[in-house]
Amino acid sequence: MCYASEQSRVDPANRRMEMHSKNLSFNSYVNMEERMIYSADPEDKNRTLLRQEMLVTVQGVPLTSYMEGIIVNTVSKNSSKGKAAIEWVVDKLGQECRSWNTLHGLTV
């Protein structure tokens, strides 16, 4: 079992969401901090831009740069899963809104 801390900030007026997460388990050996920023695309209001940053530090174990490389590669491969999860949530919310509007005779 591992523990992490995540903090999210939503700014609806500026159409921006920022998430910051950090591992709490094993942080004396491996420290991972991730920051993701979702913002409106200034060129297309129907699109969202995602900026993702990950800082990985390994210390106190042999082959630190090798370990950092493995972790960074794993995180990079898994980042597409996070994008797919957000897209799934947005799609489900859209379906629910359309169903609610249809049920109540509203058109969008």
Side-chain angles (χ1 to χ4, degrees):
M1 185 179 301
C2 297
Y3 295 95
S5 169
E6 182 173 296
Q7 183 179 43
S8 300
R9 292 186 194 107
V10 178
D11 181 355
N14 293 310
R15 300 182 63 203
R16 178 182 166 100
M17 180 173 81
E18 184 171 338
M19 299 165 51
H20 183 267
S21 60
K22 181 178 181 176
N23 68 303
L24 300 175
S25 300
F26 310 112
N27 60 3
S28 59
Y29 300 106
V30 177
N31 188 34
M32 296 172 51
E33 293 188 49
E34 181 179 35
R35 186 173 128 183
M36 296 172 46
I37 300 170
Y38 296 87
S39 59
D41 185 337
E43 296 177 9
D44 183 350
K45 66 177 184 171
N46 295 313
R47 294 174 47 111
T48 300
L49 300 177
L50 167 60
R51 179 176 170 193
Q52 183 177 20
E53 301 170 352
M54 173 67 81
L55 176 64
V56 177
T57 308
V58 177
Q59 58 191 12
V61 295
L63 305 170
T64 56
S65 60
Y66 175 74
M67 293 292 289
E68 286 176 354
I70 289 174
I71 292 168
V72 168
N73 285 335
T74 302
V75 168
S76 294
K77 289 177 186 174
N78 288 338
S79 67
S80 63
K81 293 177 186 176
K83 180 180 180 252
I86 291 291
E87 289 174 350
W88 182 86
V89 168
V90 168
D91 183 54
K92 290 298 179 191
L93 288 172
Q95 289 175 16
E96 288 182 21
C97 288
R98 286 187 293 277
S99 295
W100 190 90
N101 287 339
T102 301
L103 182 66
H104 292 87
L106 301 174
T107 57
V108 179

